[in-house]
């Protein structure tokens, strides 16, 4: 979710592409109702279905990258 000063643009893009490939393979391999844990979520709330995870990521993308900032006309 953040880039450290020593990381290059190429390394960030490579990481993004590896995450993209992994998520595409996961979506192709599992049914939408497959359940898995999110280890960093609070105990008792860690189980999530693939469909819930996909909606969660889509909402995060909309919130952080797809919403237009009215003051600057930039995406934020």
């Amino acid at each position: 979710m953040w880039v450290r000063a020593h990381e290059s643009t190429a390394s960030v893009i490579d990481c993004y592409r590896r995450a993209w490939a992994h998520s595409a393979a996961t979506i192709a391999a599992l049914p939408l109702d497959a359940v898995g844990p999110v280890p960093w979520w609070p105990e008792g709330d860690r189980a999530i279905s693939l469909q819930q995870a996909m909606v969660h990521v889509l909402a995060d993308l909309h919130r952080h990258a797809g919403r237009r900032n009215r003051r600057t006309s930039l995406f934020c």
Side-chain angles (χ1 to χ4, degrees):
M1 293 300 206
W2 63 88
V3 177
R4 295 182 178 111
H6 70 276
E7 293 179 285
S8 69
T9 300
S11 71
V12 173
I13 292 171
D14 179 60
C15 179
Y16 175 81
R17 288 186 174 147
R18 285 185 285 120
W20 181 7
H22 180 75
S23 62
T26 300
I27 292 166
L30 298 174
L32 290 175
D33 60 354
V35 176
V38 180
W40 54 89
W41 285 6
E43 189 76 36
D45 291 330
R46 293 181 180 169
I48 186 171
S49 72
L50 178 58
Q51 181 178 6
Q52 290 169 314
M54 291 169 66
V55 170
H56 183 90
V57 170
L58 181 61
D60 276 354
L61 284 171
H62 176 265
R63 184 178 309 113
H64 299 295
R67 186 172 36 134
R68 189 169 271 247
N69 182 322
R70 294 175 195 194
R71 287 179 281 155
T72 62
S73 295
L74 297 174
F75 289 95
C76 60

